[in-house]
Amino acid sequence: MKERKCVVVDAYSTGRYLPEEFKRYGIGTVHVMSAAQIPPIFQAHFDADLYDEVMRPGERMGYDEVVEYHLQALHGREVEFVIAGCESGVELADSLSERLGLPSNGTALSAARRDKARLSCALTYAGVRSIRQIVSDNAVEIASWKREANFDEIVIKPLNSTGTEDVFFCSTDSDIQRALRTIIGKTNRVGALNRFALGQEKINGQQYTVNAVSIHGDAFITEAWTYDTVPVEGASSVCSLERLLDGSEPIVQELTNYLKRALQALQILEGPAHAEIIVDHRGPVLVDFGARLQGTMSAKARTMALGHNHITLTAWRYANPEGFGEYMRMRGPYKRTAHALCVSLISDRGGVVAGYPGLEAIRKLPSFADAIAFVPIGEKLVPTIDLASTPGIVYLVNGDESQLDDDYRKLRAMRMDQVFELVARDSQ
């Protein structure tokens, strides 16, 4: 039997689970790196033993050199597909899949899938609602744009980042100056240097996260969740709770219709996508997007609530495209089999984690499904200001919604010094 092979670019974050899923289909994985070094935020996750081979480019290679390096390394090998494992791998996966003649989203709009300003322009060009914006490295220029547009408040963030890193809500000129001082000149968590900042109108409405998997231009929504935030000192806001919606709900159909148009505008023909959408009095508008799997999620808990998850459906799409396409076209809207909450813990204190004394009590909650992304023992827990500083995430799943909500209240009532044993760093 012919050996099946695939390529995953930057299999960090959720993408690190893809090799195991492809192995179920008898597909071996070659790991391709977009840069010589793994971004520090992902280094603890990477396990080279999961891959048949790891391809690492040279330290000082430019992007075009990296593409050519990997094309030469892959020359003569029969690989079935190339997929991005996380945000930093999107553009290289597009380039390699296109040049190798494999299923691809192409390179024409690669930059728009990562750069938030170009993304908005691509939506506007296609007649899809987008957010009004300005790109600048000058606080005075952004402040003038805000006044001319008559916005009471704007959002300022990097053009290319993940995990709500350095997102600021700005009402005054001094707010804008503070945001730009933080953003400009900083190398963000995915290794990109922030040369400019993005200013956008602030959309006031309910936020949602929506995942999809596409095959040959047909997009299938795999799940939609409400996304609630709370204001936190030292940050604009942080995610506190996501609640799974059923595919039959009218809002899910509205989100589906909008996201499919957005995916067409961005020429997403193949593979996974993760979108953050706000719905206000004018309807849906895309506020963030990734042409890849959703990061930081529990496959186990989502399978309990849906019968599938974004990872398993993505693997199915590539490993057995005919079977996946036939099933999804017959399926109709996805069905929620149980109620589910994704609870982001929020810390108002810091210290070095010495243990998890409260985790046993959390696991005893009737709705407990999974606990992920807890700060490792020996590492520092810090006050929460974004997704990366969230001390841990707990999933609750239950067919009884009242039990689910009761368990949520009990979980939220726990203090972080009850969940974590914290010690001062100098006592280590």
Side-chain angles (χ1 to χ4, degrees), residues 253-378:
Q253 188 59 54
E254 185 177 4
L255 293 166
T256 297
N257 293 340
Y258 174 83
L259 182 55
K260 285 187 174 183
R261 293 180 62 216
L263 293 174
Q264 290 172 355
L266 295 167
Q267 296 181 14
I268 302 295
L269 306 175
E270 313 290 353
H274 169 67
E276 296 181 15
I277 299 170
I278 293 180
V279 178
D280 65 3
H281 66 283
R282 294 178 55 199
V285 63
L286 192 66
V287 295
D288 209 351
F289 179 79
R292 38 77 179 169
L293 293 165
Q294 179 178 353
T296 317
M297 67 174 212
S298 166
K300 172 188 173 185
R302 291 177 184 234
T303 299
M304 289 169 64
L306 289 160
H308 60 73
N309 66 71
H310 205 201
I311 305 168
T312 56
L313 288 177
T314 294
W316 188 14
R317 178 258 168 270
Y318 282 98
N320 181 9
E322 293 80 11
F324 172 85
E326 181 180 357
Y327 172 81
M328 296 300 279
R329 292 181 183 104
M330 293 178 58
R331 181 201 68 171
Y334 74 86
K335 293 179 175 61
R336 181 184 61 196
T337 58
H339 300 282
L341 300 177
C342 174
V343 184
S344 296
L345 304 181
I346 299 172
S347 175
D348 60 354
R349 62 199 69 202
V352 175
V353 176
Y356 312 111
L359 196 51
E360 183 177 354
I362 292 173
R363 287 180 172 141
K364 288 180 179 177
L365 293 172
S367 303
F368 174 79
D370 203 3
I372 65 170
F374 270 53
V375 177
I377 291 175

Side-chain angles (χ1 to χ4, degrees), residues 73-352:
L74 292 168
H75 180 72
R77 305 183 189 216
E78 294 189 29
V79 297
E80 294 185 24
F81 54 87
V82 178
I83 183 173
C86 76
E87 186 67 21
S88 62
V90 168
E91 289 175 282
L92 182 55
D94 288 344
S95 294
L96 295 178
S97 58
E98 183 178 70
R99 293 278 296 274
L100 292 169
L102 300 173
S104 180
N105 293 320
T107 57
L109 288 179
S110 277
R113 297 171 195 138
R114 292 205 64 202
D115 183 304
K116 295 175 175 62
R118 295 188 185 193
L119 180 147
S120 187
C121 290
L123 295 178
T124 301
Y125 181 79
V128 180
R129 184 188 174 193
S130 62
I131 298 177
R132 287 178 285 178
Q133 64 180 24
I134 183 174
V135 176
S136 178
D137 60 357
N138 187 296
V140 174
E141 183 180 14
I142 295 178
S144 297
W145 170 80
K146 174 181 174 293
R147 283 192 293 273
E148 290 170 6
N150 199 29
F151 294 139
D152 293 329
E153 190 175 30
I154 62 173
V155 181
I156 296 182
K157 54 189 174 182
L159 289 169
N160 181 348
S161 63
T162 60
T164 66
E165 181 183 13
D166 292 334
V167 176
F168 296 88
F169 294 165
C170 300
S171 301
T172 67
D173 289 4
S174 60
D175 290 341
I176 295 171
Q177 291 166 1
R178 180 172 65 91
L180 261 68
R181 281 197 303 268
T182 301
I183 294 170
I184 302 300
K186 177 181 178 180
T187 298
N188 62 37
R189 294 194 190 101
V190 295
L193 176 64
N194 299 327
R195 292 186 171 87
F196 297 92
L198 176 66
Q200 294 182 322
E201 66 173 313
K202 185 174 183 294
I203 307 296
N204 295 305
Q206 175 63 54
Q207 188 163 339
Y208 301 87
T209 62
V210 188
N211 292 334
V213 178
S214 295
I215 180 167
H216 310 329
D218 284 345
F220 299 97
I221 305 305
T222 63
E223 62 202 282
W225 302 66
T226 59
Y227 183 101
D228 295 333
T229 62
V230 294
V232 169
E233 186 175 353
S236 299
S237 64
V238 296
C239 178
S240 60
L241 178 67
E242 295 174 71
R243 185 183 292 267
L244 179 63
L245 299 168
D246 186 72
S248 65
E249 296 183 46
I251 186 60
V252 175
Q253 188 59 54
E254 185 177 4
L255 293 166
T256 297
N257 293 340
Y258 174 83
L259 182 55
K260 285 187 174 183
R261 293 180 62 216
L263 293 174
Q264 290 172 355
L266 295 167
Q267 296 181 14
I268 302 295
L269 306 175
E270 313 290 353
H274 169 67
E276 296 181 15
I277 299 170
I278 293 180
V279 178
D280 65 3
H281 66 283
R282 294 178 55 199
V285 63
L286 192 66
V287 295
D288 209 351
F289 179 79
R292 38 77 179 169
L293 293 165
Q294 179 178 353
T296 317
M297 67 174 212
S298 166
K300 172 188 173 185
R302 291 177 184 234
T303 299
M304 289 169 64
L306 289 160
H308 60 73
N309 66 71
H310 205 201
I311 305 168
T312 56
L313 288 177
T314 294
W316 188 14
R317 178 258 168 270
Y318 282 98
N320 181 9
E322 293 80 11
F324 172 85
E326 181 180 357
Y327 172 81
M328 296 300 279
R329 292 181 183 104
M330 293 178 58
R331 181 201 68 171
Y334 74 86
K335 293 179 175 61
R336 181 184 61 196
T337 58
H339 300 282
L341 300 177
C342 174
V343 184
S344 296
L345 304 181
I346 299 172
S347 175
D348 60 354
R349 62 199 69 202
V352 175

